[in-house]
Amino acid sequence: MLTSGCKKIIKTYNIDKMTKRQVRLECAECKNINYLTFKNAKNVTEKLTLNKFCNHCRKVTKHTETKKK
């Protein structure tokens, strides 16, 4: 019984891993990549834009999703 429970946990983790995608957030002013986060690719289809603190600009700016290189 214990092994069947572990298999279910592994399956749900793999499904969750496929739906979530790692995203880089780039500052709109200085173009530095400051944050890494995850987004649900099925629910959120447009680019992610958040107001975050930029250490290089030393102020709160818009950070947008960038492509993975």
Side-chain angles (χ1 to χ4, degrees):
M1 282 216 152
L2 183 60
T3 56
S4 64
C6 292
K7 287 181 184 178
K8 287 182 181 178
I9 292 171
I10 292 170
K11 285 181 183 177
T12 55
Y13 178 73
N14 288 338
I15 291 170
D16 196 33
K17 192 86 166 164
M18 290 186 326
T19 58
K20 289 186 179 180
R21 198 177 87 215
Q22 188 176 12
V23 173
R24 294 177 173 188
L25 296 177
E26 178 184 58
C27 178
E29 293 185 15
C30 66
K31 304 295 183 197
N32 284 322
I33 296 171
N34 299 323
Y35 294 98
L36 295 175
T37 187
F38 290 94
K39 85 170 192 179
N40 191 334
K42 288 185 178 179
N43 294 341
V44 182
T45 55
E46 64 273 355
K47 280 193 172 184
L48 190 65
T49 305
L50 299 172
N51 284 329
K52 293 279 202 176
F53 181 78
C54 179
N55 288 330
H56 302 283
C57 299
R58 306 292 295 166
K59 59 184 176 179
V60 176
T61 59
K62 282 192 176 185
H63 284 70
T64 56
E65 175 185 343
T66 59
K67 288 184 179 178
K68 223 177 189 182
K69 291 182 181 179

Short mmCIF file of all heavy atoms in Angstrom, two decimals:
data_model
loop_
_atom_site.label_atom_id
_atom_site.label_comp_id
_atom_site.label_asym_id
_atom_site.label_seq_id
_atom_site.Cartn_x
_atom_site.Cartn_y
_atom_site.Cartn_z
N MET A 1 0.82 -1.19 0.00
CA MET A 1 0.00 0.00 0.00
C MET A 1 0.86 1.26 0.00
O MET A 1 0.52 2.22 -0.63
CB MET A 1 -0.91 0.01 1.21
CG MET A 1 -2.09 -0.86 1.12
SD MET A 1 -3.39 0.02 1.94
CE MET A 1 -4.76 -0.63 1.09
N LEU A 2 1.97 1.21 0.67
CA LEU A 2 2.82 2.39 0.76
C LEU A 2 3.41 2.75 -0.60
O LEU A 2 3.50 3.91 -0.96
CB LEU A 2 3.94 2.15 1.78
CG LEU A 2 4.87 3.33 2.04
CD1 LEU A 2 4.05 4.50 2.58
CD2 LEU A 2 5.94 2.96 3.03
N THR A 3 3.78 1.75 -1.40
CA THR A 3 4.38 2.04 -2.70
C THR A 3 3.36 2.63 -3.67
O THR A 3 3.68 3.48 -4.46
CB THR A 3 4.99 0.76 -3.31
OG1 THR A 3 3.96 -0.24 -3.40
CG2 THR A 3 6.14 0.27 -2.49
N SER A 4 2.08 2.19 -3.59
CA SER A 4 1.09 2.75 -4.50
C SER A 4 0.83 4.23 -4.19
O SER A 4 0.60 5.02 -5.09
CB SER A 4 -0.22 1.95 -4.42
OG SER A 4 -0.76 2.07 -3.13
N GLY A 5 0.88 4.61 -2.92
CA GLY A 5 0.72 6.00 -2.55
C GLY A 5 1.86 6.86 -3.06
O GLY A 5 1.66 7.98 -3.51
N CYS A 6 3.07 6.33 -3.04
CA CYS A 6 4.22 7.08 -3.55
C CYS A 6 4.12 7.29 -5.05
O CYS A 6 4.49 8.33 -5.56
CB CYS A 6 5.52 6.34 -3.21
SG CYS A 6 5.88 6.31 -1.46
N LYS A 7 3.63 6.30 -5.78
CA LYS A 7 3.47 6.44 -7.22
C LYS A 7 2.49 7.56 -7.56
O LYS A 7 2.69 8.32 -8.48
CB LYS A 7 3.01 5.13 -7.83
CG LYS A 7 4.09 4.07 -7.86
CD LYS A 7 3.57 2.80 -8.49
CE LYS A 7 4.62 1.71 -8.43
NZ LYS A 7 4.12 0.45 -8.98
N LYS A 8 1.41 7.68 -6.80
CA LYS A 8 0.43 8.73 -7.06
C LYS A 8 1.05 10.11 -6.84
O LYS A 8 0.80 11.02 -7.60
CB LYS A 8 -0.78 8.56 -6.15
CG LYS A 8 -1.66 7.41 -6.55
CD LYS A 8 -2.86 7.32 -5.66
CE LYS A 8 -3.72 6.14 -6.04
NZ LYS A 8 -4.87 6.00 -5.15
N ILE A 9 1.86 10.26 -5.82
CA ILE A 9 2.51 11.54 -5.55
C ILE A 9 3.45 11.90 -6.70
O ILE A 9 3.47 13.03 -7.16
CB ILE A 9 3.28 11.49 -4.21
CG1 ILE A 9 2.28 11.39 -3.06
CG2 ILE A 9 4.16 12.71 -4.04
CD1 ILE A 9 2.91 11.12 -1.72
N ILE A 10 4.20 10.94 -7.20
CA ILE A 10 5.13 11.19 -8.30
C ILE A 10 4.37 11.60 -9.55
O ILE A 10 4.74 12.53 -10.24
CB ILE A 10 6.00 9.95 -8.55
CG1 ILE A 10 6.95 9.74 -7.37
CG2 ILE A 10 6.80 10.09 -9.84
CD1 ILE A 10 7.69 8.44 -7.37
N LYS A 11 3.25 10.96 -9.84
CA LYS A 11 2.46 11.29 -11.03
C LYS A 11 1.93 12.71 -10.96
O LYS A 11 2.00 13.45 -11.91
CB LYS A 11 1.32 10.30 -11.20
CG LYS A 11 1.75 8.95 -11.69
CD LYS A 11 0.57 8.02 -11.87
CE LYS A 11 1.01 6.65 -12.30
NZ LYS A 11 -0.12 5.72 -12.42
N THR A 12 1.38 13.12 -9.82
CA THR A 12 0.84 14.47 -9.71
C THR A 12 1.96 15.50 -9.81
O THR A 12 1.78 16.57 -10.35
CB THR A 12 0.08 14.66 -8.39
OG1 THR A 12 0.92 14.33 -7.31
CG2 THR A 12 -1.17 13.81 -8.35
N TYR A 13 3.14 15.18 -9.29
CA TYR A 13 4.27 16.10 -9.39
C TYR A 13 4.67 16.29 -10.84
O TYR A 13 4.94 17.39 -11.28
CB TYR A 13 5.46 15.57 -8.58
CG TYR A 13 6.68 16.43 -8.68
CD1 TYR A 13 6.75 17.66 -8.03
CD2 TYR A 13 7.76 16.04 -9.45
CE1 TYR A 13 7.86 18.46 -8.14
CE2 TYR A 13 8.87 16.83 -9.57
CZ TYR A 13 8.93 18.04 -8.90
OH TYR A 13 10.03 18.82 -9.02
N ASN A 14 4.68 15.21 -11.64
CA ASN A 14 5.05 15.32 -13.05
C ASN A 14 4.03 16.14 -13.82
O ASN A 14 4.39 16.94 -14.67
CB ASN A 14 5.19 13.93 -13.67
CG ASN A 14 6.44 13.22 -13.17
OD1 ASN A 14 7.37 13.86 -12.71
ND2 ASN A 14 6.44 11.91 -13.25
N ILE A 15 2.76 15.97 -13.54
CA ILE A 15 1.73 16.76 -14.21
C ILE A 15 1.88 18.23 -13.84
O ILE A 15 1.81 19.12 -14.68
CB ILE A 15 0.33 16.23 -13.84
CG1 ILE A 15 0.12 14.85 -14.47
CG2 ILE A 15 -0.77 17.19 -14.30
CD1 ILE A 15 -1.11 14.13 -13.98
N ASP A 16 2.11 18.50 -12.56
CA ASP A 16 2.28 19.87 -12.10
C ASP A 16 3.52 20.50 -12.74
O ASP A 16 3.52 21.67 -13.08
CB ASP A 16 2.40 19.88 -10.57
CG ASP A 16 2.18 21.27 -10.00
OD1 ASP A 16 1.38 22.01 -10.59
OD2 ASP A 16 2.80 21.58 -8.99
N LYS A 17 4.56 19.72 -12.94
CA LYS A 17 5.80 20.21 -13.53
C LYS A 17 5.57 20.61 -14.99
O LYS A 17 6.17 21.55 -15.48
CB LYS A 17 6.86 19.11 -13.44
CG LYS A 17 8.24 19.53 -13.73
CD LYS A 17 8.91 20.08 -12.53
CE LYS A 17 10.39 20.16 -12.79
NZ LYS A 17 11.05 21.00 -11.86
N MET A 18 4.70 19.89 -15.70
CA MET A 18 4.44 20.19 -17.10
C MET A 18 3.62 21.47 -17.25
O MET A 18 3.81 22.21 -18.21
CB MET A 18 3.71 19.03 -17.77
CG MET A 18 4.58 17.81 -17.94
SD MET A 18 3.87 16.46 -18.86
CE MET A 18 2.16 16.49 -18.50
N THR A 19 2.72 21.75 -16.34
CA THR A 19 1.87 22.93 -16.48
C THR A 19 2.60 24.20 -16.06
O THR A 19 2.32 25.26 -16.59
CB THR A 19 0.58 22.79 -15.65
OG1 THR A 19 0.94 22.60 -14.29
CG2 THR A 19 -0.26 21.64 -16.14
N LYS A 20 3.52 24.10 -15.12
CA LYS A 20 4.26 25.29 -14.69
C LYS A 20 5.53 25.44 -15.50
O LYS A 20 6.22 24.48 -15.80
CB LYS A 20 4.61 25.18 -13.21
CG LYS A 20 3.42 25.33 -12.32
CD LYS A 20 3.82 25.37 -10.89
CE LYS A 20 2.62 25.54 -10.00
NZ LYS A 20 2.99 25.58 -8.60
N ARG A 21 5.83 26.69 -15.88
CA ARG A 21 7.02 26.98 -16.68
C ARG A 21 7.84 28.06 -15.99
O ARG A 21 7.28 29.03 -15.47
CB ARG A 21 6.57 27.47 -18.05
CG ARG A 21 7.67 27.38 -19.08
CD ARG A 21 7.18 27.81 -20.44
NE ARG A 21 7.35 29.25 -20.49
CZ ARG A 21 6.55 30.08 -21.11
NH1 ARG A 21 5.49 29.66 -21.73
NH2 ARG A 21 6.78 31.37 -21.11
N GLN A 22 9.15 27.88 -15.98
CA GLN A 22 10.02 28.88 -15.36
C GLN A 22 10.13 30.10 -16.27
O GLN A 22 10.28 29.97 -17.48
CB GLN A 22 11.40 28.31 -15.09
CG GLN A 22 12.26 29.22 -14.28
CD GLN A 22 13.59 28.61 -13.92
OE1 GLN A 22 13.96 27.59 -14.48
NE2 GLN A 22 14.30 29.21 -13.03
N VAL A 23 10.05 31.28 -15.66
CA VAL A 23 10.03 32.54 -16.41
C VAL A 23 11.07 33.47 -15.81
O VAL A 23 11.23 33.54 -14.60
CB VAL A 23 8.62 33.18 -16.30
CG1 VAL A 23 8.60 34.55 -16.90
CG2 VAL A 23 7.59 32.29 -16.93
N ARG A 24 11.77 34.20 -16.67
CA ARG A 24 12.71 35.24 -16.23
C ARG A 24 12.01 36.58 -16.31
O ARG A 24 11.29 36.86 -17.26
CB ARG A 24 13.92 35.28 -17.14
CG ARG A 24 14.76 34.06 -17.08
CD ARG A 24 15.87 34.19 -18.08
NE ARG A 24 16.81 33.09 -17.94
CZ ARG A 24 17.96 33.03 -18.56
NH1 ARG A 24 18.31 33.98 -19.40
NH2 ARG A 24 18.76 32.01 -18.38
N LEU A 25 12.22 37.43 -15.30
CA LEU A 25 11.64 38.77 -15.29
C LEU A 25 12.74 39.80 -15.51
O LEU A 25 13.72 39.84 -14.76
CB LEU A 25 10.90 39.03 -13.98
CG LEU A 25 9.69 38.15 -13.71
CD1 LEU A 25 9.10 38.48 -12.35
CD2 LEU A 25 8.65 38.31 -14.79
N GLU A 26 12.57 40.63 -16.53
CA GLU A 26 13.57 41.62 -16.92
C GLU A 26 13.05 43.02 -16.61
O GLU A 26 11.89 43.33 -16.88
CB GLU A 26 13.84 41.48 -18.42
CG GLU A 26 14.81 42.48 -18.97
CD GLU A 26 14.95 42.33 -20.47
OE1 GLU A 26 13.93 42.44 -21.17
OE2 GLU A 26 16.07 42.10 -20.93
N CYS A 27 13.91 43.85 -16.06
CA CYS A 27 13.56 45.23 -15.75
C CYS A 27 13.31 46.01 -17.05
O CYS A 27 14.07 45.87 -18.01
CB CYS A 27 14.67 45.89 -14.94
SG CYS A 27 14.36 47.62 -14.55
N ALA A 28 12.27 46.82 -17.07
CA ALA A 28 11.93 47.58 -18.27
C ALA A 28 12.90 48.74 -18.51
O ALA A 28 13.08 49.17 -19.64
CB ALA A 28 10.51 48.11 -18.15
N GLU A 29 13.54 49.24 -17.46
CA GLU A 29 14.42 50.40 -17.61
C GLU A 29 15.88 50.01 -17.88
O GLU A 29 16.48 50.50 -18.82
CB GLU A 29 14.33 51.28 -16.37
CG GLU A 29 12.98 51.94 -16.23
CD GLU A 29 12.91 52.90 -15.07
OE1 GLU A 29 13.98 53.28 -14.54
OE2 GLU A 29 11.79 53.28 -14.70
N CYS A 30 16.45 49.15 -17.05
CA CYS A 30 17.88 48.83 -17.20
C CYS A 30 18.13 47.52 -17.93
O CYS A 30 19.27 47.17 -18.21
CB CYS A 30 18.56 48.81 -15.84
SG CYS A 30 18.02 47.49 -14.76
N LYS A 31 17.09 46.74 -18.24
CA LYS A 31 17.16 45.49 -19.01
C LYS A 31 17.95 44.38 -18.31
O LYS A 31 18.44 43.47 -18.96
CB LYS A 31 17.73 45.73 -20.41
CG LYS A 31 17.00 46.76 -21.23
CD LYS A 31 15.60 46.32 -21.54
CE LYS A 31 14.93 47.36 -22.44
NZ LYS A 31 13.50 47.20 -22.46
N ASN A 32 18.08 44.44 -17.00
CA ASN A 32 18.73 43.36 -16.25
C ASN A 32 17.69 42.34 -15.82
O ASN A 32 16.57 42.69 -15.48
CB ASN A 32 19.43 43.91 -15.00
CG ASN A 32 20.72 44.61 -15.35
OD1 ASN A 32 21.45 44.18 -16.22
ND2 ASN A 32 20.98 45.71 -14.67
N ILE A 33 18.09 41.07 -15.84
CA ILE A 33 17.21 39.99 -15.39
C ILE A 33 17.43 39.84 -13.89
O ILE A 33 18.50 39.45 -13.44
CB ILE A 33 17.50 38.69 -16.14
CG1 ILE A 33 17.19 38.88 -17.62
CG2 ILE A 33 16.68 37.55 -15.55
CD1 ILE A 33 17.63 37.75 -18.50
N ASN A 34 16.40 40.18 -13.11
CA ASN A 34 16.53 40.23 -11.66
C ASN A 34 15.81 39.10 -10.95
O ASN A 34 16.18 38.75 -9.84
CB ASN A 34 15.97 41.55 -11.13
CG ASN A 34 16.72 42.74 -11.69
OD1 ASN A 34 17.92 42.68 -11.87
ND2 ASN A 34 16.00 43.80 -11.97
N TYR A 35 14.77 38.54 -11.55
CA TYR A 35 13.94 37.56 -10.86
C TYR A 35 13.68 36.34 -11.73
O TYR A 35 13.59 36.45 -12.95
CB TYR A 35 12.58 38.16 -10.48
CG TYR A 35 12.66 39.26 -9.46
CD1 TYR A 35 12.65 40.60 -9.83
CD2 TYR A 35 12.76 38.96 -8.11
CE1 TYR A 35 12.73 41.60 -8.90
CE2 TYR A 35 12.83 39.96 -7.16
CZ TYR A 35 12.81 41.28 -7.56
OH TYR A 35 12.90 42.26 -6.62
N LEU A 36 13.55 35.18 -11.09
CA LEU A 36 13.08 33.95 -11.71
C LEU A 36 11.83 33.52 -10.97
O LEU A 36 11.80 33.52 -9.75
CB LEU A 36 14.14 32.84 -11.61
CG LEU A 36 15.43 33.05 -12.36
CD1 LEU A 36 16.40 31.92 -12.07
CD2 LEU A 36 15.18 33.12 -13.85
N THR A 37 10.79 33.16 -11.71
CA THR A 37 9.55 32.73 -11.09
C THR A 37 8.89 31.68 -11.99
O THR A 37 9.39 31.38 -13.07
CB THR A 37 8.60 33.93 -10.86
OG1 THR A 37 7.49 33.48 -10.10
CG2 THR A 37 8.16 34.56 -12.14
N PHE A 38 7.79 31.12 -11.52
CA PHE A 38 7.04 30.13 -12.29
C PHE A 38 5.68 30.70 -12.65
O PHE A 38 5.11 31.49 -11.91
CB PHE A 38 6.83 28.85 -11.47
CG PHE A 38 8.10 28.09 -11.25
CD1 PHE A 38 8.85 28.29 -10.12
CD2 PHE A 38 8.54 27.18 -12.19
CE1 PHE A 38 10.01 27.59 -9.91
CE2 PHE A 38 9.70 26.47 -12.00
CZ PHE A 38 10.44 26.67 -10.85
N LYS A 39 5.18 30.29 -13.82
CA LYS A 39 3.82 30.66 -14.20
C LYS A 39 3.13 29.45 -14.80
O LYS A 39 3.78 28.56 -15.36
CB LYS A 39 3.80 31.84 -15.16
CG LYS A 39 3.97 31.51 -16.62
CD LYS A 39 3.70 32.74 -17.47
CE LYS A 39 3.57 32.35 -18.93
NZ LYS A 39 3.28 33.48 -19.77
N ASN A 40 1.82 29.41 -14.65
CA ASN A 40 1.02 28.32 -15.18
C ASN A 40 0.79 28.60 -16.67
O ASN A 40 0.10 29.55 -17.03
CB ASN A 40 -0.30 28.22 -14.43
CG ASN A 40 -1.04 26.96 -14.75
OD1 ASN A 40 -0.89 26.40 -15.82
ND2 ASN A 40 -1.86 26.52 -13.82
N ALA A 41 1.36 27.78 -17.53
CA ALA A 41 1.31 28.02 -18.97
C ALA A 41 -0.09 27.80 -19.54
O ALA A 41 -0.45 28.38 -20.56
CB ALA A 41 2.31 27.13 -19.67
N LYS A 42 -0.90 26.97 -18.89
CA LYS A 42 -2.24 26.71 -19.40
C LYS A 42 -3.19 27.86 -19.10
O LYS A 42 -4.00 28.24 -19.95
CB LYS A 42 -2.81 25.43 -18.77
CG LYS A 42 -2.16 24.18 -19.30
CD LYS A 42 -2.84 22.96 -18.73
CE LYS A 42 -2.23 21.69 -19.28
NZ LYS A 42 -2.86 20.50 -18.73
N ASN A 43 -3.13 28.43 -17.91
CA ASN A 43 -4.07 29.49 -17.51
C ASN A 43 -3.64 30.87 -17.98
O ASN A 43 -4.48 31.70 -18.31
CB ASN A 43 -4.24 29.50 -15.99
CG ASN A 43 -4.90 28.24 -15.49
OD1 ASN A 43 -5.54 27.53 -16.25
ND2 ASN A 43 -4.73 27.96 -14.22
N VAL A 44 -2.34 31.15 -17.97
CA VAL A 44 -1.83 32.48 -18.31
C VAL A 44 -1.13 32.39 -19.66
O VAL A 44 -0.02 31.87 -19.77
CB VAL A 44 -0.85 32.99 -17.23
CG1 VAL A 44 -0.37 34.38 -17.56
CG2 VAL A 44 -1.50 32.94 -15.86
N THR A 45 -1.76 32.92 -20.69
CA THR A 45 -1.18 32.81 -22.04
C THR A 45 -0.40 34.06 -22.43
O THR A 45 0.52 33.98 -23.23
CB THR A 45 -2.29 32.56 -23.08
OG1 THR A 45 -3.26 33.59 -22.97
CG2 THR A 45 -2.95 31.22 -22.85
N GLU A 46 -0.76 35.23 -21.88
CA GLU A 46 -0.05 36.46 -22.23
C GLU A 46 1.23 36.60 -21.38
O GLU A 46 1.42 35.87 -20.41
CB GLU A 46 -0.94 37.69 -22.06
CG GLU A 46 -1.38 37.97 -20.65
CD GLU A 46 -2.63 37.24 -20.23
OE1 GLU A 46 -3.25 36.56 -21.05
OE2 GLU A 46 -2.97 37.34 -19.04
N LYS A 47 2.07 37.56 -21.75
CA LYS A 47 3.32 37.78 -21.02
C LYS A 47 3.03 38.31 -19.63
O LYS A 47 2.14 39.14 -19.43
CB LYS A 47 4.20 38.78 -21.76
CG LYS A 47 4.96 38.18 -22.90
CD LYS A 47 6.03 39.14 -23.36
CE LYS A 47 6.93 38.48 -24.37
NZ LYS A 47 8.03 39.34 -24.75
N LEU A 48 3.82 37.86 -18.68
CA LEU A 48 3.66 38.26 -17.29
C LEU A 48 4.35 39.60 -17.07
O LEU A 48 5.48 39.81 -17.51
CB LEU A 48 4.29 37.18 -16.41
CG LEU A 48 4.06 37.24 -14.93
CD1 LEU A 48 2.58 37.03 -14.64
CD2 LEU A 48 4.86 36.16 -14.23
N THR A 49 3.67 40.54 -16.41
CA THR A 49 4.23 41.85 -16.08
C THR A 49 3.94 42.14 -14.62
O THR A 49 2.78 42.14 -14.20
CB THR A 49 3.62 42.94 -16.95
OG1 THR A 49 3.79 42.59 -18.32
CG2 THR A 49 4.28 44.27 -16.71
N LEU A 50 5.00 42.38 -13.83
CA LEU A 50 4.85 42.65 -12.41
C LEU A 50 5.66 43.87 -12.01
O LEU A 50 6.68 44.17 -12.62
CB LEU A 50 5.35 41.45 -11.59
CG LEU A 50 4.66 40.12 -11.79
CD1 LEU A 50 5.42 39.02 -11.06
CD2 LEU A 50 3.24 40.19 -11.28
N ASN A 51 5.20 44.59 -11.00
CA ASN A 51 5.97 45.68 -10.41
C ASN A 51 6.86 45.09 -9.32
O ASN A 51 6.36 44.55 -8.35
CB ASN A 51 5.06 46.75 -9.82
CG ASN A 51 4.44 47.61 -10.87
OD1 ASN A 51 5.03 47.83 -11.91
ND2 ASN A 51 3.24 48.08 -10.62
N LYS A 52 8.17 45.18 -9.53
CA LYS A 52 9.14 44.62 -8.59
C LYS A 52 10.24 45.64 -8.33
O LYS A 52 10.46 46.55 -9.11
CB LYS A 52 9.79 43.35 -9.18
CG LYS A 52 8.88 42.19 -9.36
CD LYS A 52 8.72 41.50 -8.05
CE LYS A 52 8.29 40.07 -8.22
NZ LYS A 52 8.23 39.39 -6.96
N PHE A 53 10.99 45.42 -7.25
CA PHE A 53 12.12 46.29 -6.92
C PHE A 53 13.34 45.86 -7.72
O PHE A 53 13.71 44.68 -7.72
CB PHE A 53 12.43 46.23 -5.42
CG PHE A 53 13.56 47.12 -5.02
CD1 PHE A 53 13.37 48.47 -4.88
CD2 PHE A 53 14.82 46.59 -4.78
CE1 PHE A 53 14.42 49.30 -4.51
CE2 PHE A 53 15.87 47.41 -4.41
CZ PHE A 53 15.67 48.76 -4.28
N CYS A 54 13.98 46.79 -8.39
CA CYS A 54 15.20 46.52 -9.15
C CYS A 54 16.40 46.99 -8.34
O CYS A 54 16.47 48.17 -7.97
CB CYS A 54 15.15 47.23 -10.50
SG CYS A 54 16.62 46.96 -11.49
N ASN A 55 17.32 46.09 -8.07
CA ASN A 55 18.52 46.44 -7.30
C ASN A 55 19.46 47.37 -8.07
O ASN A 55 20.19 48.15 -7.48
CB ASN A 55 19.28 45.19 -6.88
CG ASN A 55 18.56 44.42 -5.80
OD1 ASN A 55 17.86 45.01 -5.00
ND2 ASN A 55 18.72 43.12 -5.81
N HIS A 56 19.43 47.29 -9.39
CA HIS A 56 20.33 48.11 -10.20
C HIS A 56 19.81 49.54 -10.33
O HIS A 56 20.57 50.49 -10.25
CB HIS A 56 20.52 47.48 -11.58
CG HIS A 56 21.06 46.08 -11.50
ND1 HIS A 56 22.38 45.81 -11.26
CD2 HIS A 56 20.44 44.89 -11.60
CE1 HIS A 56 22.56 44.50 -11.23
NE2 HIS A 56 21.39 43.91 -11.43
N CYS A 57 18.50 49.69 -10.51
CA CYS A 57 17.88 51.02 -10.60
C CYS A 57 17.61 51.62 -9.22
O CYS A 57 17.43 52.83 -9.10
CB CYS A 57 16.56 50.94 -11.35
SG CYS A 57 16.69 50.36 -13.03
N ARG A 58 17.53 50.78 -8.21
CA ARG A 58 17.23 51.16 -6.82
C ARG A 58 15.84 51.77 -6.68
O ARG A 58 15.63 52.71 -5.93
CB ARG A 58 18.29 52.13 -6.26
CG ARG A 58 19.73 51.66 -6.34
CD ARG A 58 20.03 50.50 -5.46
NE ARG A 58 19.88 50.88 -4.06
CZ ARG A 58 19.82 50.00 -3.08
NH1 ARG A 58 19.90 48.72 -3.33
NH2 ARG A 58 19.69 50.39 -1.85
N LYS A 59 14.86 51.25 -7.45
CA LYS A 59 13.47 51.69 -7.33
C LYS A 59 12.55 50.60 -7.87
O LYS A 59 13.00 49.63 -8.48
CB LYS A 59 13.24 53.00 -8.07
CG LYS A 59 13.55 52.96 -9.55
CD LYS A 59 13.38 54.34 -10.15
CE LYS A 59 13.79 54.32 -11.61
NZ LYS A 59 13.61 55.63 -12.22
N VAL A 60 11.27 50.78 -7.65
CA VAL A 60 10.27 49.83 -8.13
C VAL A 60 9.96 50.14 -9.59
O VAL A 60 9.61 51.26 -9.93
CB VAL A 60 8.98 49.91 -7.27
CG1 VAL A 60 7.92 48.99 -7.82
CG2 VAL A 60 9.28 49.56 -5.83
N THR A 61 10.11 49.13 -10.45
CA THR A 61 9.86 49.29 -11.88
C THR A 61 9.05 48.10 -12.38
O THR A 61 8.90 47.10 -11.69
CB THR A 61 11.18 49.37 -12.68
OG1 THR A 61 11.92 48.18 -12.45
CG2 THR A 61 11.99 50.57 -12.28
N LYS A 62 8.58 48.20 -13.61
CA LYS A 62 7.88 47.07 -14.23
C LYS A 62 8.89 46.05 -14.70
O LYS A 62 9.90 46.39 -15.31
CB LYS A 62 7.04 47.55 -15.41
CG LYS A 62 5.77 48.20 -15.03
CD LYS A 62 4.89 48.38 -16.24
CE LYS A 62 3.55 48.95 -15.80
NZ LYS A 62 2.61 49.04 -16.90
N HIS A 63 8.61 44.79 -14.40
CA HIS A 63 9.42 43.69 -14.87
C HIS A 63 8.56 42.82 -15.77
O HIS A 63 7.46 42.44 -15.39
CB HIS A 63 9.94 42.86 -13.69
CG HIS A 63 11.06 43.51 -12.96
ND1 HIS A 63 10.90 44.63 -12.18
CD2 HIS A 63 12.38 43.21 -12.91
CE1 HIS A 63 12.06 44.98 -11.67
NE2 HIS A 63 12.98 44.12 -12.09
N THR A 64 9.06 42.52 -16.97
CA THR A 64 8.29 41.74 -17.94
C THR A 64 8.98 40.40 -18.19
O THR A 64 10.18 40.26 -18.02
CB THR A 64 8.15 42.49 -19.27
OG1 THR A 64 9.45 42.81 -19.75
CG2 THR A 64 7.34 43.75 -19.10
N GLU A 65 8.18 39.45 -18.64
CA GLU A 65 8.68 38.11 -18.95
C GLU A 65 9.56 38.15 -20.20
O GLU A 65 9.25 38.84 -21.17
CB GLU A 65 7.46 37.22 -19.21
CG GLU A 65 7.79 35.83 -19.65
CD GLU A 65 6.55 35.05 -20.00
OE1 GLU A 65 5.45 35.44 -19.61
OE2 GLU A 65 6.71 34.03 -20.67
N THR A 66 10.67 37.43 -20.15
CA THR A 66 11.57 37.35 -21.30
C THR A 66 11.74 35.90 -21.72
O THR A 66 11.41 34.99 -20.97
CB THR A 66 12.95 37.94 -20.99
OG1 THR A 66 13.51 37.22 -19.90
CG2 THR A 66 12.86 39.40 -20.66
N LYS A 67 12.28 35.71 -22.92
CA LYS A 67 12.51 34.36 -23.42
C LYS A 67 13.72 33.74 -22.73
O LYS A 67 14.65 34.43 -22.33
CB LYS A 67 12.78 34.39 -24.92
CG LYS A 67 11.57 34.68 -25.76
CD LYS A 67 11.92 34.58 -27.21
CE LYS A 67 10.73 34.86 -28.08
NZ LYS A 67 11.07 34.80 -29.50
N LYS A 68 13.70 32.42 -22.62
CA LYS A 68 14.81 31.68 -22.07
C LYS A 68 15.87 31.53 -23.16
O LYS A 68 15.56 31.20 -24.29
CB LYS A 68 14.33 30.30 -21.63
CG LYS A 68 14.85 29.86 -20.32
CD LYS A 68 14.25 28.53 -19.98
CE LYS A 68 14.59 28.17 -18.57
NZ LYS A 68 14.06 26.86 -18.21
N LYS A 69 17.12 31.80 -22.83
CA LYS A 69 18.19 31.70 -23.82
C LYS A 69 18.85 30.35 -23.78
O LYS A 69 18.88 29.64 -22.86
CB LYS A 69 19.23 32.76 -23.58
CG LYS A 69 18.70 34.12 -23.87
CD LYS A 69 19.76 35.17 -23.67
CE LYS A 69 19.21 36.54 -23.95
NZ LYS A 69 20.18 37.58 -23.75
#
